[in-house]
Amino acid sequence: MHCQTIVLGAGIVGVSTALHLQARGRKVILIDRDEPGSGTSHGNAGLIERSSVIPYAFPRELSSLLRYGLNRQSDVRYSLTHVPKIAPWLFKYWQNSSAAGLKVATHAMLPLVQRCVEEHDALIDAAGLGELVKANGWIEVFRNDAAFSKAKADAHALAPYGLSYEVLDRQQLHQRETDLSDNVVGGIHWLDPKTVTNPGGLTRGYAALFVKRGGQFIHGDARTLRQIAGEWQVDSRQGPITAAEVVIALGPQSADLFKPLGYRIPLEIKRGYHMHYQGRDGAELKHSICDGQGGYVLAPMAQGIRLTTGIEFAASGDAANEIQLKRCEVLARRIFPLGQRLDAQPWLGRRPCLPDMRPVIGPAARHKGLWFNFGHAHHGLTLGPVSGRLLAEMLTGEATFTDPAPYSAARFN
Ligand SMILES: Cc1cc2nc3c(=O)[nH]c(=O)nc-3n(C[C@H](O)[C@H](O)[C@H](O)COP(=O)(O)OP(=O)(O)OC[C@H]3O[C@@H](n4cnc5c(N)ncnc54)[C@H](O)[C@@H]3O)c2cc1C
């Protein structure tokens, strides 16, 4: 089989890339070893996070570092054997999280974040997936006055970014979320983001749109990729597929391909879990809520109330460890009447992360026709469609909507 461009990986990033290439007239084949949207894109918190204009940084204050050092927090947990192995990466991440480094990362990410909702909206409309998406924002909730006051000041400091939000006192918050417990003293309702009630379903819906528009989705193992006579070839269930161009969009597994090709890109993973719950005695969650102090999100999903955890630094293949989920669950039960667990096992996901808090989007320096689109960290659902647009604009030689230089793989050379 032959096409113009092979896209490897049918997560939100790969599917969106395939759609944008197709929209520019490319004949595209999309390859994944599983169904579309069954990797990290399946189990996230479903936030199309227009309000996250400041990337997720490594803590710098001594008090925070000491607290995390004890490894008893609910928001970040680490495996004692894994951390020494990724210490150089963590050091780079720490360096890039200085006030100056964070300013650079914020500036670099802003053009993508600013377009995230409109890029999703276009695909949601075209795919007829409106029933999976809510436009009522999400609410950050606080369990004490000190944290609430700090958050209000932090939100105020974001004024230059023009975000829409409402500060809710206890009464206003409880009017908006009637089943929240009295332990919550207030909240900030971020109004620009949208939320998705089934992120895996959304990704599959986008993949179905790609197929409806004439694209092909085929099962295959991306690790069979090789270069033959100047073309790229990969094995699939339907035989070898050949193309002039290939895009690696394998999220957390992207290193399986770029490493053997000789690229030294510092991609690491931050693991995270989810579990679904019933609302106790019919309790209902109307918005996605984030307990920033506890480091977890409760999101009303098609499958139940989804609790997603923060960060676990552990090797990709290490067995799942329930400690972090249990810590978050204890906190979540204090603020919302969660009922029974609905899943037999927690879901474990892997966020693909670079230490400078930006993805890699663009061409590979030493291989003609090889392209990268991965490393979207905490915001891959948010950024999938806008990154797909940028990659497609670059690949087809169109004028790009923003300068792609900040996302170049060459920054690691
Ligand atoms: C707990 C948690 C909560 C999150 N919440 C949010 C949120 O609210 N909002 C947000 O924007 N982001 C969120 N994220 C981040 C987001 O989920 C990821 O950034 C995003 O899903 C990455 O998408 P991707 O397409 O790059 O990777 P993936 O979705 O992992 O896709 C990669 C694909 O590659 C395929 N693949 C891998 N290896 C091979 C191979 N050898 N051959 C063929 N196929 C292969 C996989 O099967 C998979 O389908 C969260 C992440 C976690 C873990």
Side-chain angles (χ1 to χ4, degrees):
M1 288 170 89
H2 200 274
C3 65
Q4 285 172 298
T5 315
I6 298 169
V7 176
L8 297 172
I12 188 69
V13 174
V15 170
S16 303
T17 304
L19 275 163
H20 274 289
L21 285 166
Q22 181 185 54
R24 285 159 184 78
R26 278 286 196 284
K27 186 172 180 290
V28 180
I29 296 184
L30 177 63
I31 305 260
D32 201 292
R33 59 187 174 196
D34 293 318
E35 291 309 305
S38 50
T40 322
S41 300
H42 162 75
N44 58 54
L47 308 178
I48 300 177
E49 231 314 55
R50 172 66 184 85
S51 60
S52 272
V53 289
I54 313 285
Y56 198 105
F58 196 98
R60 299 276 299 189
E61 313 82 43
L62 190 61
S63 56
S64 306
L65 291 172
L66 291 173
R67 210 158 29 88
Y68 287 119
L70 297 174
N71 209 9
R72 293 205 189 119
Q73 298 296 305
S74 54
D75 54 344
V76 181
R77 191 201 154 257
Y78 54 88
S79 136
L80 287 170
T81 53
H82 184 61
V83 160
K85 291 180 197 151
I86 58 160
W89 187 91
L90 289 172
F91 181 64
K92 278 266 164 238
Y93 183 19
W94 177 82
Q95 278 185 318
N96 287 318
S97 300
S98 67
L102 199 51
K103 211 169 153 186
V104 172
T106 301
H107 184 71
M109 291 307 291
L110 204 55
L112 302 185
V113 176
Q114 281 172 329
R115 273 185 88 116
C116 68
V117 170
E118 67 180 278
E119 291 294 342
H120 266 289
D121 279 350
L123 296 181
I124 290 161
D125 275 359
L129 293 168
E131 82 282 2
L132 297 185
V133 184
K134 291 192 200 173
N136 62 353
W138 62 274
I139 306 177
E140 196 175 355
V141 299
F142 301 93
R143 286 179 277 124
N144 60 51
D145 289 323
F148 188 28
S149 298
K150 181 177 178 313
K152 282 188 271 190
D154 290 349
H156 188 67
L158 296 178
Y161 300 101
L163 301 175
S164 306
Y165 66 90
E166 280 179 69
V167 175
L168 308 175
D169 63 20
R170 188 194 290 261
Q171 197 191 353
Q172 290 164 323
L173 175 59
H174 285 82
Q175 274 166 0
R176 228 159 269 196
E177 276 299 338
T178 43
D179 291 320
L180 274 182
S181 84
D182 285 342
N183 295 332
V184 185
V185 300
I188 297 182
H189 192 163
W190 296 98
L191 300 165
D192 301 302
K194 292 196 171 178
T195 60
V196 180
T197 55
N198 185 347
L202 187 84
T203 309
R204 280 185 288 285
Y206 288 177
L209 176 66
F210 166 74
V211 171
K212 193 174 148 197
R213 287 176 169 173
Q216 270 181 291
F217 168 72
I218 299 181
H219 287 104
D221 188 340
R223 288 169 300 184
T224 59
L225 183 72
R226 65 238 169 213
Q227 231 179 346
I228 295 178
E231 289 213 300
W232 294 97
Q233 193 171 75
V234 66
D235 291 337
S236 80
R237 279 195 205 162
Q238 299 186 24
I241 300 169
T242 308
E245 295 140 354
V246 63
V247 184
I248 299 179
L250 296 166
Q253 285 87 30
S254 298
D256 290 352
L257 267 80
F258 69 68
K259 260 193 194 163
L261 290 166
Y263 292 89
R264 294 170 54 132
I265 301 169
L267 183 73
E268 286 293 342
I269 56 156
K270 295 179 185 172
R271 306 199 323 176
Y273 296 86
H274 86 215
M275 172 57 67
H276 294 106
Y277 301 83
Q278 277 177 338
R280 201 175 65 225
D281 302 328
E284 208 190 322
L285 188 64
K286 298 179 186 71
H287 303 82
S288 296
I289 59 174
C290 173
D291 172 357
Q293 295 167 275
Y296 62 89
V297 172
L298 286 180
M301 292 280 171
Q303 301 92 332
I305 298 173
R306 177 178 293 182
L307 187 162
T308 58
T309 71
I311 299 163
E312 184 188 53
F313 288 109
S316 180
D318 282 359
N321 182 326
E322 271 211 44
I323 292 177
Q324 190 178 30
L325 178 65
K326 282 182 181 160
R327 285 177 185 159
C328 293
E329 186 179 317
V330 168
L331 294 174
R333 287 187 185 283
R334 284 187 201 147
I335 66 163
F336 188 85
L338 290 178
Q340 282 183 344
R341 284 184 172 201
L342 295 175
D343 310 325
Q345 301 293 335
W347 171 85
L348 168 61
R350 296 161 181 84
R351 304 173 180 92
C353 300
L354 279 313
D356 59 1
M357 295 162 278
R358 325 171 212 161
V360 175
I361 308 171
R366 295 184 301 278
H367 292 81
K368 191 164 179 281
L370 178 65
W371 293 78
F372 299 139
N373 199 356
F374 55 78
H376 295 76
H378 292 257
H379 294 121
L381 172 68
T382 302
L383 301 173
V386 70
S387 306
R389 166 181 291 280
L390 183 59
L391 190 288
E393 287 174 348
M394 292 171 83
L395 193 148
T396 57
E398 210 174 278
T400 56
F401 75 88
T402 186
D403 176 9
Y407 323 112
S408 165
R411 70 191 194 265
F412 298 114
N413 288 339

